Amino acid sequence: MGRRHEIQNLVRRGNMFHWRPRIPRQFSEIAERHLSLSLHLSDHRKAQYMARRLNTLLHELKLTPGAAVTTKDQLESLFRAEAVRMSEHLDNLSFAARRVGTDAALSAKADIEIGWAYRLIELFGTMRKLSFEPGCPGRSALERASIPEPSIATIATAFTQEQADCRHSHFEKALVADMAAHGIADTLINRERATAQLMRAKADMLLAVPSRYPELRGSNVAEILADKVMAATDNGTPSVAKPFATQSAVVEQGASPTDSETRVQSEYLMPEQSVVVAEHAATPVPLSAPPPKDIPLPVTEFMTRCQKLIAGKKDWERKTGQDVRVVVATFVGILGEHGVKTSAEITQFHLGRLRDHFDEIPTTYGQSSRLRRLSTRELREAASRQVEIAKARNQQPPKIGLEANTIRKHLTNLGEFLRSLRGRGFAVADLSMDGLRPAKLKSGDLRTLTDKPDENRLRPLFDMAVFTGCRSAEEQGVAGGQVFHSANYYLPMLLAYLGSRRNEMAGLAVKDIVETSNGWAIEIRPNALRRIKNSQSVRTLPVPDEVLRLGLLPYVRAIRDLGYSALFPELYTQSSDNDAGDRFYKDFMPLVKKSEVAGQDVWARFLHALRHGNANTLKQKRVSIEIIDDISGRLSRGETSVRYTNAAGLPLVRSALANYPTVTGHLEPQPLQLLPWVAKRQSPPWAGRSRSQRLADARSVRSERAKTRRKLD
């Protein structure tokens, strides 16, 4: 599928450009409505020029008397020959400059002067003589375009020579042969028209200086002609030369253009261009206006721009925005180490230093608030000290270096940020990730990344005190006689039985639990509390029978009657915009590590493994992969699954999940008991604690652990 370019009728397919115009209705002999011509170019600057030239040629052809009887083959042959001619001419100019070894500025100056000679032949024909004296229309056209006096003399000489060459027999023979090859009748008017076309093609190519001399990009054409010397005004005061103008603007700005000049202008412009020039005749139209130079962005403003990027990405998850913020802040630290002040100073070397940094920091540094506050240099030094201390104590050295998938994610996010800067006009080099991004894991290795606990490994999880009875709401990891209905109680069951994502269940609203004709269900959809990953994540799942047996509906009614919108309000606080899934992880995982489960089988990525275990268990029970994907909120492969069918309905999902074994059958329903702070509509204990309070609590925990170890010793 081709992608339209900003130039009319120019389409990019893969790495090549194609010209695909709509055939005007004047060509009544052609049944098809489009032509398609490969330009055999991957250079977008050359392709842009050629497309403009072919668009103009097509417009001129439709005005000819023979348009009604022209065939598609004739049109394709004509355009193909024109494209080949232009391509060869551009290549010849490029290689000639290399062969001679001339300076780009001198070559550009010569191109502009000869190009204007061709432009004047196009405007005034091959027979009209121009003296280039004051009052001469040719000289007036050049003066209105701010061409300096030395260049006017050069253009006058070139015009006389090229005009004489156009009347030479060898030129006439080649022109007639070219017209005959394309089925154009040999008449004087057609010869003059073809000559004007050829002159226009040559002029357009030569005057497109910025597209052929990238090193002069941003330079004004008049400045190039004047060797970058300021042009003098009438009173001798220096002033910047005016931008170069097209022949259409020159003719329109003239005091009294002749009928022939006006005819030439109206025929050679596209219809929409003619209207624009007629309405804005007093404004010069630049032919080769220099593109605006990119602006260096101070590195100190990177985080502000990063925040704007995140705010503009409405489809990004909260976690994605956090990841982008982390990698940009890290890159800012690397740039600061090397004295980089603006985006224009960033090189491939700095990207390489960022990659080295990822290999030299603790793997789990993100889990430590102390390490997260360190600078990039301090973080690497802290990692080195950890390794040295471990060696001195003959301990297992800490893991150093981020995982391959994490590095890939960081580099991808940084690339997105740098592209956003470049797209907004800031000076950023086009840096490459080649050689920096770790290779993707092979498909066969992906299965080993996450455990897939089966029913036998899951049952001990629900023997924890939080399910069977704990001492108090603050000590849910200690055995006792109370069961508190909360996120710690219901979420592990929902994750095990339904295989949903952690934030999908932690961020449920009370209104997401609905009664349907097929029983009670959970609507997983975006709500005011959280987003969801993608469109296929929107789905309806049945409330597991075991969760209903263990009192979910009375819990939902109680939470609703208290006026909460969140199903698990203890995961939120009004004073901060926290992630409920992360909060649940911080509340529940310490209970797991303190329980007897920790001494038996604590698998990696504990909560996410419940999702993998659910899918694997259903597969082993012969549930189809497509149904498992619909339950999990993933998009199956294949045309039928993706395009022709909807996701599995609630009855089908319920019957598929009935194959999942019961892992909570040993638990008995308990009288409803909410967490005290939830029942009193108070903030949870974790909310509002200062950093010093959290450190004091941590010291207290470490002190208790040390006392326990001393008693055991």
Side-chain angles (χ1 to χ4, degrees):
M1 184 69 179
R3 182 173 62 85
R4 287 191 175 275
H5 205 262
E6 60 267 23
I7 303 302
Q8 184 182 15
N9 299 329
L10 186 60
V11 176
R12 185 166 191 163
R13 295 174 179 168
N15 195 39
M16 303 301 292
F17 284 96
H18 294 250
W19 183 61
R20 191 174 185 272
R22 184 175 180 84
I23 299 177
R25 59 177 176 269
Q26 285 87 342
F27 298 91
S28 56
E29 288 293 314
I30 304 176
E32 296 88 344
R33 289 296 88 196
H34 284 89
L35 290 174
S36 184
L37 174 66
S38 174
L39 301 181
H40 301 289
L41 288 173
S42 58
D43 187 332
H44 72 278
R45 291 189 298 270
K46 291 183 179 179
Q48 287 177 357
Y49 164 70
M50 293 178 70
R52 291 191 185 100
R53 173 74 186 106
L54 293 173
N55 288 337
T56 304
L57 181 57
L58 177 63
H59 176 66
E60 293 168 356
L61 288 175
K62 78 178 184 180
L63 300 178
T64 62
V69 295
T70 303
T71 65
K72 182 179 180 181
D73 290 338
Q74 287 177 316
L75 278 181
E76 288 183 343
S77 175
L78 177 63
F79 292 134
R80 189 173 290 108
E82 185 69 17
V84 170
R85 180 190 298 117
M86 287 186 287
S87 180
E88 289 179 351
H89 191 74
L90 288 171
D91 290 340
N92 290 341
L93 289 174
S94 176
F95 283 106
R98 294 184 187 181
R99 177 69 178 86
V100 176
T102 56
D103 180 67
L106 296 177
S107 299
K109 181 177 180 181
D111 288 354
I112 295 171
E113 291 171 344
I114 301 300
W116 260 105
Y118 289 137
R119 183 70 78 209
L120 294 177
I121 296 175
E122 175 200 348
L123 288 173
F124 300 102
T126 59
M127 301 299 293
R128 183 173 179 177
K129 295 186 180 296
L130 299 176
S131 64
F132 293 94
E133 296 293 332
C136 171
R139 184 182 183 89
S140 299
L142 296 177
E143 289 176 345
R144 283 192 292 271
S146 300
I147 303 299
E149 183 61 34
S151 292
I152 291 179
T154 304
I155 293 171
T157 302
F159 171 82
T160 303
Q161 293 175 349
E162 292 295 334
Q163 192 181 51
D165 191 68
C166 290
R167 297 192 296 268
H168 199 276
S169 59
H170 71 83
F171 179 88
E172 297 268 343
K173 290 179 181 179
L175 184 67
V176 171
D178 195 19
M179 292 168 56
H182 300 295
I184 301 174
D186 182 17
T187 65
L188 292 177
I189 294 179
N190 283 347
R191 286 191 185 187
E192 191 64 20
R193 183 185 295 276
T195 301
Q197 286 296 313
L198 183 59
M199 295 300 107
R200 162 171 263 204
K202 292 181 177 182
D204 286 348
M205 284 185 292
L206 290 169
L207 293 176
V209 171
S211 67
R212 290 185 296 105
Y213 296 93
E215 57 268 49
L216 298 180
R217 187 174 299 165
S219 300
N220 187 281
V221 174
E223 293 174 353
I224 295 174
L225 291 178
D227 294 327
K228 299 184 179 180
V229 177
M230 300 296 238
T233 59
D234 293 340
N235 58 9
T237 304
S239 62
V240 179
K242 297 179 181 179
F244 198 50
T246 62
Q247 81 281 7
S248 57
V250 170
V251 173
E252 285 293 322
Q253 293 171 49
S256 56
T258 63
D259 292 340
S260 61
E261 291 171 341
T262 305
R263 177 183 57 79
V264 169
Q265 175 205 346
S266 62
E267 288 184 358
Y268 284 84
L269 288 175
M270 298 297 286
E272 62 270 23
Q273 293 174 324
S274 300
V275 175
V276 172
V277 172
E279 292 180 352
H280 305 281
T283 304
V285 182
L287 176 67
S288 302
K293 293 183 178 180
D294 293 337
I295 302 173
L297 178 69
V299 174
T300 54
E301 297 184 18
F302 272 27
M303 295 310 300
T304 302
R305 283 288 164 182
C306 176
Q307 194 58 42
K308 290 183 178 181
L309 170 64
I310 296 171
K313 294 288 188 178
K314 305 299 182 182
D315 57 335
W316 275 6
E317 291 183 341
R318 175 191 178 94
K319 186 66 175 176
T320 303
Q322 292 176 345
D323 292 339
V324 174
R325 197 178 294 110
V326 167
V327 71
V328 173
T330 303
F331 193 47
V332 168
I334 295 295
L335 296 177
E337 289 184 43
H338 294 84
V340 176
K341 301 298 183 183
T342 69
S343 60
E345 302 172 30
I346 300 175
T347 66
Q348 190 70 35
F349 169 79
H350 302 119
L351 200 59
R353 285 302 303 132
L354 175 68
R355 177 65 174 84
D356 294 339
H357 173 80
F358 291 151
D359 290 332
E360 299 169 3
I361 61 178
T363 303
T364 58
Y365 87 96
Q367 300 176 11
S368 170
S369 59
R370 180 183 64 83
L371 293 179
R372 289 199 303 269
R373 289 193 298 271
L374 298 179
S375 67
T376 51
R377 188 190 302 276
E378 292 170 342
L379 184 57
R380 294 195 301 272
E381 293 173 351
S384 299
R385 286 195 300 270
Q386 289 180 4
V387 173
E388 293 174 359
I389 292 173
K391 287 182 179 180
R393 296 177 178 178
N394 292 323
Q395 297 176 347
Q396 187 72 18
K399 293 182 178 179
I400 301 298
L402 303 184
E403 296 181 353
N405 283 344
T406 304
I407 295 176
R408 288 182 60 87
K409 175 186 67 177
H410 282 328
L411 293 179
T412 299
N413 290 336
L414 180 62
E416 177 71 17
F417 172 71
L418 295 178
R419 282 193 297 273
S420 72
L421 295 185
R422 198 179 301 116
R424 285 163 175 76
F426 294 110
V428 181
D430 189 6
L431 305 176
S432 173
M433 298 293 179
D434 293 344
L436 300 178
R437 186 182 287 114
K440 287 185 178 180
L441 287 175
K442 297 180 180 179
S443 299
D445 296 334
L446 293 175
R447 285 181 170 175
T448 64
L449 291 180
T450 305
D451 281 303
K452 302 170 181 59
D454 57 17
E455 54 191 282
N456 296 324
R457 298 173 67 188
L458 273 179
R459 284 195 179 95
L461 170 66
F462 296 99
D463 288 333
M464 292 169 49
V466 68
F467 301 107
T468 59
C470 61
R471 180 181 296 176
S472 66
E474 292 81 7
E475 299 175 292
Q476 296 184 27
V478 181
Q482 301 187 67
V483 172
F484 292 92
H485 296 82
S486 61
N488 285 345
Y489 185 79
Y490 284 119
L491 277 183
M493 300 179 191
L494 294 173
L495 297 178
Y497 283 122
L498 298 178
S500 302
R501 300 177 180 92
R502 182 177 68 191
N503 71 314
E504 289 177 344
M505 289 298 164
L508 285 174
V510 173
K511 63 181 180 181
D512 292 335
I513 309 299
V514 297
E515 186 177 13
T516 71
S517 58
N518 292 296
W520 285 93
I522 301 174
E523 293 281 2
I524 299 180
R525 58 192 174 186
N527 57 34
L529 303 172
R530 57 98 175 95
R531 302 168 62 92
I532 58 174
K533 186 171 184 178
N534 44 45
S535 59
Q536 58 264 25
S537 297
V538 177
R539 60 199 189 278
T540 302
L541 299 176
V543 178
D545 293 338
E546 274 293 289
V547 182
L548 290 174
R549 183 181 71 85
L550 294 173
L552 179 65
L553 292 184
Y555 170 80
V556 173
R557 297 189 188 101
I559 295 297
R560 181 192 59 198
D561 293 343
L562 286 170
Y564 288 109
S565 59
L567 185 60
F568 303 109
E570 71 270 21
L571 302 180
Y572 295 91
T573 177
Q574 295 180 354
S575 61
S576 63
D577 183 20
N578 61 289
D579 185 284
D582 289 346
R583 183 68 253 171
F584 168 64
Y585 180 90
K586 294 176 181 178
D587 288 347
F588 184 73
M589 286 309 297
L591 304 180
V592 174
K593 294 177 181 179
K594 292 179 181 178
S595 69
E596 295 181 358
V597 178
Q600 299 176 9
D601 185 16
V602 178
W603 48 84
R605 304 181 71 193
F606 193 86
L607 294 178
H608 192 66
L610 299 178
R611 176 171 168 83
H612 287 245
N614 177 275
N616 180 60
T617 301
L618 292 178
K619 179 181 178 181
Q620 305 308 324
K621 298 291 184 179
R622 299 185 179 181
V623 177
S624 70
I625 299 299
E626 290 81 3
I627 301 300
I628 295 175
D629 285 342
D630 287 342
I631 294 172
S632 302
R634 291 186 293 267
L635 190 63
S636 296
R637 295 182 179 180
E639 190 77 4
T640 300
S641 298
V642 174
R643 183 173 182 179
Y644 286 93
T645 59
N646 293 326
L650 187 59
L652 180 56
V653 172
R654 188 183 296 277
S655 64
L657 288 173
N659 292 279
Y660 194 87
T662 300
V663 293
T664 56
H666 61 289
L667 300 179
E668 294 295 333
Q670 301 292 329
L672 179 66
Q673 185 174 10
L674 301 178
L675 294 171
W677 47 89
V678 172
K680 296 177 182 179
R681 293 188 59 83
Q682 297 175 346
S683 297
W686 57 267
R689 290 191 303 167
S690 65
R691 179 171 175 267
S692 60
Q693 290 174 326
R694 293 196 299 271
L695 289 175
D697 292 343
R699 293 191 189 100
S700 176
V701 171
R702 287 196 295 269
S703 177
E704 290 296 327
R705 290 177 181 174
K707 292 179 181 179
T708 303
R709 284 196 298 269
R710 284 195 295 270
K711 289 180 181 180
L712 294 176
D713 294 341

